[in-house]
Amino acid sequence: MTHWFHRNPLKATAPVSFNYYGVATTPAATKVCNDLRLSRTRLLELFTDSSCNPEMMKNAADLYFSLLQGFILSLDDSSQECKLRYIQNFKWTDTLQGQVPSAQQDAVFELVSMGFNVALWYTKYASRLAGKEDITEDEAKDVHRSLKIAAGIFKHLKESHIPKLITPVEKGRDLEARLIDSYIIQCQAEAQEVTIARAIELKHNPGLIAALAYETANFYQKADQTLSSLDPTYAGKWRKYLNLKSCFYMAYAYCYHGQTLLASDKCGEAIRSLQESEKFFAKAEALCKEYGETKGPGTTAKPSGHLFFRKLGSLIKNTLEKCQRENGFIYFQKVPAEAPQLELKANYGLVEPVPFEFPALNAHWTPETVAAFDLTKRPKEDTAKPKPDEEVKPLKEPDIKPQKDTGCQIS
């Protein structure tokens, strides 16, 4: 079946020319700068190119990052940082805080900001693919893989590169731990949605489906709690999404747990489980409406009208009616007042981020190339800094709206 995922906007950035007249003193040094400019421009273009696929993205990102590493890595394997690290000022906006940019004269800031956007691109590619009407098994695998890759990139940035920034990350900005953690957890939860859809389609054991749904609901709840201390002006819409998905998958968990109980001749408990499923579904339905009415960064959608949502409502209703019929004819069991405690642990299908590393240093960077940058020739007034009138324009990306779902299953 098709899926619907909330997406925040991509980060935008000021143009960077990498023109160091007088500083780059040899043709080799000038060529590296030219390659940096062209590869950065190409990568930014691909972020909004709807025909871009993961292979194209990986090739473009690897080229730019391998060149950018020349501003960061020391070529002699010493602990000293590269002399070019602070040569250029980079300016980036945030996914939540509109077009209010942050600027740092630090190549590591550029590395983590562009890396963050690459991870976001993988989530948007997954969302675009998952929203198709007739999603194939291979496409479902691509969605699953892309979300795990994105989670791996976010994790690597958080653990290995953001701590190296000289200027501390401002609270509420993209590179802050709360936001990065939420993006990682959301990617894992959404990848598990694909696993759940596959398990349902292949008619796997209801106990496994219930456990996976329960784990996924907890992921969404954890992501929401991670954002709870952020300003709701920025994070409100995103949190509504995380909240509604948590309720939605709790409804799934109780629904399939009810099927497991019925199969074990515990019809009264099964009815109570299905009633709890109805409650969570009603909560998710209310949150869908609130999500649509909440202003803030993110995609536009009416999730309650989407088939993935309506389908669960029908499943709960039909399963509950079946349990009540069976109880009236066969079991005559009392329906407990308390809902069953879900202590479900999935042994299969849980998602872990794909480990990520930045590419090795580009071969064009040699000790001679680095030595050819004469920093004493830099003008006194640093022309590398963005001019006051230089605005950071948002990237023109289409708002991802769910397509009409015909109810086709992943085959």
Side-chain angles (χ1 to χ4, degrees), residues 378-385:
R378 292 176 75 186
K380 288 180 183 177
E381 287 185 14
D382 190 0
T383 54
K385 290 185 179 180

Side-chain angles (χ1 to χ4, degrees), residues 176-338:
E176 204 219 317
R178 288 177 295 179
L179 275 87
I180 292 258
D181 283 342
S182 292
Y183 276 116
I184 294 168
I185 299 164
Q186 181 178 335
C187 287
Q188 289 175 281
E190 289 175 347
Q192 282 182 197
E193 288 195 48
V194 179
T195 306
I196 291 167
R198 181 71 175 158
I200 292 169
E201 211 258 316
L202 293 177
K203 294 182 171 56
H204 276 297
N205 186 308
L208 171 64
I209 296 168
L212 277 171
Y214 182 61
E215 301 265 20
T216 303
N218 287 337
F219 265 141
Y220 277 119
Q221 186 181 33
K222 187 179 175 185
D224 175 51
Q225 288 169 347
T226 307
L227 296 174
S228 61
S229 54
L230 287 177
D231 184 344
T233 310
Y234 302 124
K237 194 176 186 72
W238 189 7
R239 288 193 64 199
K240 290 288 182 197
Y241 165 77
L242 297 170
N243 222 315
L244 80 85
K245 280 291 183 83
S246 177
C247 288
F248 182 78
Y249 279 96
M250 282 300 286
Y252 248 125
Y254 273 109
C255 179
Y256 277 90
H257 186 56
Q259 292 183 26
T260 305
L261 290 168
L262 181 61
S264 305
D265 296 326
K266 296 176 181 177
C267 196
E269 290 178 45
I271 290 170
R272 187 63 189 87
S273 190
L274 267 300
Q275 288 171 343
E276 198 67 13
S277 180
E278 274 190 325
K279 283 184 187 176
F280 274 105
F281 186 77
K283 275 187 195 175
E285 202 164 27
L287 283 163
C288 283
K289 188 180 178 186
E290 289 175 27
Y291 172 85
E293 293 169 352
T294 303
K295 292 183 179 179
T299 42
T300 306
K302 290 183 179 176
S304 57
H306 203 274
L307 185 67
F308 88 91
F309 193 88
R310 299 199 312 273
K311 227 170 157 185
L312 175 59
S314 301
L315 179 66
I316 295 167
K317 180 175 177 287
N318 294 338
T319 310
L320 178 57
E321 286 175 356
K322 179 186 175 185
C323 289
Q324 288 169 332
R325 276 197 311 274
E326 302 254 334
N327 204 41
F329 281 109
I330 305 166
Y331 295 101
F332 305 104
Q333 292 174 1
K334 186 179 178 183
V335 177
E338 295 292 322

Side-chain angles (χ1 to χ4, degrees), residues 42-63:
R42 174 61 180 151
L43 183 53
L44 290 171
E45 286 171 353
L46 285 180
F47 286 145
T48 55
D49 183 348
S50 59
S51 66
C52 179
N53 60 42
E55 185 183 3
M56 292 164 66
M57 177 54 61
K58 186 178 187 319
N59 290 339
D62 280 356
L63 176 59

